[in-house]
Amino acid sequence: MKMFPPWLNATNDTSVYSEYAHLRDTMKIVASVIFSIILLMGVTGNGTVIWITGCKLRKTINTVWFLNLAVADFISTFLIFNTLLNLALDLNWPFGSVSCKLLNCTFGLSIYTSILLLSAISIDRCVLVLFPVWCQNYRTTKLISTVCLFIWALSISLVPGSFMLSEMSTKHNRSSCKNVDIFEDWEREEADVFTVCLFLYQFLIPLTIILISYAIIIFSIKKKGLNKSNKPLLVITGVVFSFFLCWLPYHGLALARISVPHLPPLVYYVAIPLSKCLAMFNSCINPILYVFIGHEFKDIVRKSLLQVFKSAFEEMPHTRV
């Protein structure tokens, strides 16, 4: 027996399901390939960043920021293994509700931490431009480490929402773990509120903060005539905007699901799975940005891996952005 998407459960039209069965099976294969690549790249890339920033480079403000971001990304990409396992079991989750809740809470923790870190990094860049003297005296690795610790604690406080909605559903003798099944999502009435809340504090509010911060940075660069070609700023800009570009389709479709009574079947069978793949791709793209932004390919070939990361994370002077 197969699991039906929400739009089909409402109509009980199993003939429509049969019509899209082949497309569903095709998307399972496509998603499995994409998630496998993301898992390999994410675990390897973020693991390398953690090793280099945590063990090989001297402790600077930039390395503290990106070490914590790499840890959050490593957790989310590592958890993709559970999605692959779910796909291999034909979207059946036989491991019980406790593991389902634990998985969703851990994934939520990593995502909350990532977005809060990106927002904090943008604010940090803005403060560095506006108050260079203060930063020279008080902007220390100890302060940034404390901020990162606070962000992890705040992320933990946001986890209960994922815990409450991470319920198992059993239909046609098959169990489904919400947010692990690439075709399924929350079904409880509270899910509408939860979806809007996620959109606000995972996307819209952080995006507003970051855009304002970068607008101030650009304005200050032009006003003060500061050097515009700073590699750390390019890295941070790439990391921030890749996050929002990757997560925009996911949040857009999430809002559509609670706003439109019956979306076309192709949305459930193609658009939603691909949006989840794109969202998770963000967790493995950051190490690529660290290496390639601001470098010519020949420079990458000539430099050792450690030298490349050292160049990407080098701390910039307080008089530049």
Side-chain angles (χ1 to χ4, degrees):
M1 299 295 291
K2 304 291 187 180
M3 292 296 294
F4 299 157
W7 63 271
L8 186 57
N9 291 331
T11 62
N12 292 320
D13 188 358
T14 57
S15 62
V16 177
Y17 173 83
S18 300
E19 180 182 351
Y20 288 91
H22 178 70
L23 179 59
R24 172 186 177 276
D25 293 337
T26 300
M27 284 308 304
K28 283 174 53 183
I29 297 174
V30 172
S32 297
V33 172
I34 296 175
F35 279 130
S36 296
I37 295 173
I38 294 174
L39 175 63
L40 179 61
M41 292 176 59
V43 171
T44 303
N46 288 300
T48 302
V49 173
I50 292 171
W51 173 64
I52 290 178
T53 56
C55 304
K56 295 298 182 180
L57 297 181
R58 68 184 181 88
K59 188 176 182 180
T60 67
I61 290 172
N62 281 333
T63 57
V64 171
W65 281 129
F66 289 109
L67 171 61
N68 282 270
L69 187 58
V71 170
D73 286 341
F74 181 89
I75 293 174
S76 59
T77 51
F78 182 79
L79 293 177
I80 291 177
F81 174 79
N82 295 278
T83 301
L84 288 171
L85 181 60
N86 188 238
L87 286 166
L89 295 173
D90 196 22
L91 305 179
N92 184 39
W93 186 260
F95 307 108
S97 60
V98 175
S99 62
C100 178
K101 288 181 177 292
L102 180 62
L103 176 60
N104 276 296
C105 288
T106 306
F107 178 75
L109 171 64
S110 65
I111 297 301
Y112 299 147
T113 303
S114 291
I115 186 58
L116 288 173
L117 284 170
L118 291 173
S119 300
I121 290 171
S122 299
I123 294 174
D124 176 58
R125 297 293 103 181
C126 186
V127 172
L128 180 60
V129 173
L130 295 177
F131 309 103
V133 176
W134 182 90
C135 289
Q136 189 171 5
N137 295 326
Y138 300 103
R139 181 176 174 266
T140 63
T141 56
K142 183 177 180 180
L143 174 63
I144 300 304
S145 298
T146 302
V147 172
C148 290
L149 183 62
F150 172 78
I151 287 175
W152 281 99
L154 180 59
S155 299
I156 293 175
S157 70
L158 296 174
V159 164
S162 299
F163 180 85
M164 292 176 60
L165 291 174
S166 299
E167 294 182 349
M168 295 284 297
S169 64
T170 302
K171 299 174 183 177
H172 306 281
N173 298 320
R174 300 181 66 81
S175 298
S176 175
C177 178
K178 301 304 177 185
N179 226 28
V180 176
D181 187 334
I182 63 171
F183 299 107
E184 295 267 348
D185 281 287
W186 320 110
E187 290 182 351
R188 290 177 52 180
E189 293 181 0
E190 294 90 336
D192 291 357
V193 176
F194 187 64
T195 298
V196 174
C197 290
L198 283 180
F199 173 74
L200 289 176
Y201 63 73
Q202 267 192 14
F203 193 82
L204 185 60
I205 294 176
L207 178 60
T208 302
I209 293 173
I210 289 173
L211 289 178
I212 291 174
S213 298
Y214 274 84
I216 294 174
I217 290 173
I218 294 173
F219 176 79
S220 298
I221 287 176
K222 292 182 178 180
K223 183 179 179 179
K224 298 179 181 180
L226 301 176
N227 192 340
K228 299 180 182 179
S229 59
N230 188 274
K231 190 177 303 179
L233 182 60
L234 289 175
V235 173
I236 293 165
T237 303
V239 169
V240 168
F241 284 99
S242 67
F243 180 92
F244 290 103
L245 289 176
C246 288
W247 280 93
L248 178 60
Y250 176 85
H251 285 289
L253 288 171
L255 291 177
R257 289 196 298 273
I258 66 173
S259 303
V260 181
H262 300 293
L263 292 172
L266 286 177
V267 172
Y268 288 97
Y269 284 120
V270 178
I272 289 178
L274 289 181
S275 72
K276 292 183 178 182
C277 291
L278 181 61
M280 292 312 305
F281 178 71
N282 175 253
S283 297
C284 73
I285 197 176
N286 288 340
I288 300 174
L289 295 174
Y290 299 154
V291 174
F292 287 100
I293 286 184
H295 290 278
E296 295 292 338
F297 180 74
K298 62 181 180 181
D299 295 329
I300 300 294
V301 175
R302 292 175 182 175
K303 291 183 178 181
S304 68
L305 184 62
L306 179 59
Q307 288 174 322
V308 170
F309 276 96
K310 184 176 181 180
S311 176
F313 292 123
E314 62 185 359
E315 185 67 21
M316 53 189 169
H318 291 283
T319 57
R320 299 170 60 192
V321 179

